[in-house]
């Protein structure tokens, strides 16, 4: 049986594990976090990615987890409502459409459950070194353990460890979009009822929306800066940067900043894309944000991870004959099927940047639907 090691247990990693096991491979997932990494805002699954969930038998369960957001208000710095919208939200696009908007961590939990018990998980560990030159990939973990696998797949996100080890430094592939966001859980202090509230300050924006049937809320604090560099591993520096930027911009920012310090799931990053002209070297390949992050600004990050994992697993199956796998052909076919779609999708984010030419809903839908799910 072909043994595959996947680095990263989020959307791409769990979906890939599911489909690999479904196709008769063995999947082991190593995740740096001690468990599934919590956090993130509401994300959308849309277009053909809904078909991936459907083929996994998870569509109804995902629909049950929908945020049910009814609309959004924009308020002034004292909290007075300036406008309200019940047709679209600043983060989620049109409200009344077939997309499924759910919390990122709820989706990951759902996908993870679907991989059990067939997938082996190694939580709290990471790949320290790998040797990709032979018939097997020799992997040494940070824990000190060593194992060999037929294939290794990096599903470890924007700052992928596998990409760094095998393809080279992040700086070669990252395209920074100059927008930063911090996202974290807060109590539903504004008593929002399936509602989002946003304030645009002089240099920053702040938003709060109710989550999990109003029992909690998620806050998002954002700002633009094309020159800033903050170490993505240095949480203290990130918190200090957000505090410094937000302090004078009014509304309930001081309260949100207090919650931010205590939040169990603080997440901060720059909106960026990963642009590569190949996603595999030897027996190692990339999937999801690790290989082609489109950025949250595209509205497609999660859908693309679901699609990419489905296609990669499918191409590996298609390249298998008995005990023999032509992994090289599988990786090339995965790239050929998906790369043009990624290029179109990445364009969505750059056109959505404040100040950029706005993309119409029709253009957005056409790009989202411009791929068909093959049967494997
Ligand atoms: C905590 C968090 C919050 C997010 N919030 C949002 C959001 O609010 N809006 C949005 O649009 N997108 C958000 N994203 C990104 C979004 O999840 C992805 O764009 C999309 O779902 C594609 O997922 P992915 O599985 O490719 O990557 P990711 O979801 O980024 O997952 C990567 C996984 O790899 C793990 N990992 C990282 N390094 C290593 C390592 N060295 N060894 C092993 N495992 C490692 C991470 O802990 C994580 O579980 C967030 C990601 C994370 C991790």
């Amino acid at each position: 049986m072909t043994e595959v090691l996947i680095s990263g247990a989020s959307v791409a990693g769990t979906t890939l594990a599911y489909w690999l096991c479904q196709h008769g491979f063995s999947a082991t997932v190593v995740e740096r976090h001690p468990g599934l990494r919590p956090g993130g805002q509401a994300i959308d699954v849309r277009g053909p990615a809904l078909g991936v969930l459907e083929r996994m038998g998870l569509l109804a369960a995902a629909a049950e987890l929908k945020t049910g957001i009814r609309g959004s208000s924009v308020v002034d710095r004292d909290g007075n409502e300036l406008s309200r919208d019940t047709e679209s939200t600043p983060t989620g696009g049109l409200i009344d459409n077939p997309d499924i908007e759910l919390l990122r961590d709820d989706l990951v939990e759902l996908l993870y459950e679907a991989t059990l018990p067939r997938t082996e998980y190694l939580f709290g560990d990471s790949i320290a070194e790998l040797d990709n030159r032979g018939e097997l990939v020799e992997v040494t973990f940070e824990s000190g353990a060593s194992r060999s696998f037929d294939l290794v797949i990096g599903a470890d996100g924007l700052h992928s460890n596998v990409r760094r080890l095998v393809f080279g430094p992040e700086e070669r592939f990252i395209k920074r979009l100059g927008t930063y966001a911090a996202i974290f859980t807060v109590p539903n202090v504004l008593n929002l009822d399936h509602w989002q509230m946003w304030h645009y300050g002089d240099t920053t924006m702040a938003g709060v929306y109710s989550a999990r049937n109003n029992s909690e809320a998620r806050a998002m604090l954002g700002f633009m800066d094309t020159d800033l560099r903050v170490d993505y591993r240095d949480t203290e520096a990130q918190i200090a940067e957000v505090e410094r930027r937000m302090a004078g911009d009014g509304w309930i920012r001081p309260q949100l900043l207090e919650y931010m310090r205590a939040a169990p799931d603080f997440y901060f990053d720059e909106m960026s894309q990963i642009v590569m002209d190949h996603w595999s070297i030897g027996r190692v390949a990339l999937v999801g944000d690790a290989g082609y992050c489109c950025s949250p600004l595209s509205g497609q990050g999660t859908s693309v991870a679901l699609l990419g994992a489905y296609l990669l697993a499918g191409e590996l199956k298609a390249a298998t004959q008995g005990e023999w796998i032509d992994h090289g052909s599988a990786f090339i076919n995965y790239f050929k099927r998906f790369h043009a779609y990624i290029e179109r999708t990445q364009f969505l984010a750059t056109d959505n940047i404040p100040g950029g030419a706005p993309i119409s809903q029709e253009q957005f839908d056409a790009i989202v639907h411009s791929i068909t799910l093959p049967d494997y």
Side-chain angles (χ1 to χ4, degrees):
M1 191 187 264
T2 303
E3 293 189 18
V4 185
L5 174 67
I6 301 166
S7 174
S10 181
V11 177
T14 52
T15 307
L16 181 65
Y18 174 90
W19 283 107
L20 287 176
C21 293
Q22 198 70 7
H23 296 327
F25 297 85
S26 134
T28 299
V29 182
V30 57
E31 163 61 49
R32 190 179 51 179
H33 202 73
L36 293 178
R37 188 163 168 203
Q41 57 171 327
I43 45 82
D44 287 280
V45 182
R46 51 168 59 100
L50 291 167
V52 177
L53 288 184
E54 190 174 22
R55 290 174 189 208
M56 295 170 82
L58 297 179
L59 195 58
E64 286 280 306
L65 294 166
K66 268 184 166 185
T67 59
I69 290 291
R70 297 177 296 118
S72 63
S73 312
V74 175
V75 296
D76 68 14
R77 61 182 293 132
D78 299 317
N80 303 307
E81 190 172 276
L82 298 173
S83 64
R84 63 170 37 214
D85 190 345
T86 52
E87 290 187 356
S88 61
T89 66
T91 52
L94 293 176
I95 286 171
D96 186 18
N97 64 24
D99 305 348
I100 294 183
E101 185 193 60
L102 73 174
L103 291 180
R104 175 196 161 275
D105 35 15
D106 285 352
L107 175 63
V108 174
E109 182 76 41
L110 185 68
L111 295 166
Y112 167 74
E113 293 287 332
T115 66
L116 300 176
R118 293 187 294 184
T119 304
E120 177 190 20
Y121 281 90
L122 310 172
F123 284 111
D125 210 347
S126 172
I127 299 173
E129 284 172 31
L130 56 79
D131 184 346
N132 181 26
R133 291 169 300 183
E135 289 297 296
L136 292 170
V137 189
E138 308 294 338
V139 177
T140 309
F141 294 95
E142 279 180 1
S143 61
S146 298
R147 282 171 67 174
S148 43
F149 296 88
D150 295 288
L151 305 171
V152 173
I153 312 292
D156 39 12
L158 174 62
H159 305 294
S160 169
N161 181 42
V162 171
R163 187 182 60 233
R164 181 181 57 78
L165 289 170
V166 177
F167 297 78
E170 181 173 298
E171 284 308 317
R172 260 190 228 165
F173 310 109
I174 197 161
K175 178 175 170 187
R176 300 174 190 282
L177 302 180
T179 302
Y180 288 81
I183 295 152
F184 47 95
T185 299
V186 296
N188 188 0
V189 275
L190 296 171
N191 287 322
L192 299 171
D193 177 9
H194 298 94
W195 199 260
Q196 303 187 343
M197 209 169 262
W198 298 89
H199 173 252
Y200 297 94
D202 292 336
T203 57
T204 70
M205 56 97 81
V208 180
Y209 51 94
S210 55
R212 295 195 172 130
N213 245 339
N214 305 328
S215 64
E216 61 181 57
R218 294 278 157 111
M220 193 211 283
L221 301 173
F223 59 88
M224 293 183 76
D225 189 328
T226 47
D227 299 324
L228 179 70
R229 297 286 175 271
V230 186
D231 185 345
Y232 70 90
R233 286 156 302 201
D234 189 346
T235 307
E236 249 329 293
Q238 296 166 1
I239 287 178
E241 190 63 41
V242 178
E243 286 176 337
R244 188 175 74 75
R245 305 252 173 183
M246 296 291 151
D249 245 357
W251 194 42
I252 59 165
R253 280 178 182 70
Q255 215 177 335
L256 295 179
L257 291 177
E258 270 182 43
Y259 286 121
M260 181 176 77
R261 279 229 159 251
D265 57 354
F266 172 78
Y267 169 75
F268 175 86
D269 217 329
E270 182 177 7
M271 307 285 144
S272 308
Q273 297 187 330
I274 294 296
V275 182
M276 303 180 76
D277 59 11
H278 58 295
W279 299 332
S280 61
I281 293 180
R283 293 177 169 270
V284 178
L286 303 172
V287 67
D289 279 6
Y292 35 81
C293 180
C294 295
S295 108
L297 294 175
S298 72
Q300 272 278 79
T302 301
S303 294
V304 151
L306 287 165
L307 289 167
Y310 175 82
L311 293 173
L312 175 54
E315 291 302 332
L316 286 168
K317 179 191 177 195
T320 300
Q321 278 186 326
E323 287 298 298
W324 189 76
I325 179 165
D326 182 356
H327 62 274
S329 297
F331 290 158
I332 287 170
N333 289 336
Y334 156 61
F335 184 84
K336 278 190 186 159
R337 266 195 195 278
F338 205 36
H339 186 249
Y341 185 76
I342 293 299
E343 280 188 336
R344 291 192 289 277
T345 304
Q346 290 191 327
F347 169 75
L348 291 175
T350 39
D351 231 14
N352 272 345
I353 280 194
I359 195 157
S360 72
Q361 189 62 44
E362 287 72 28
Q363 287 167 314
F364 182 85
D365 289 342
I367 290 175
V368 166
H369 287 276
S370 64
I371 192 166
T372 312
L373 281 192
D375 293 322
Y376 290 106

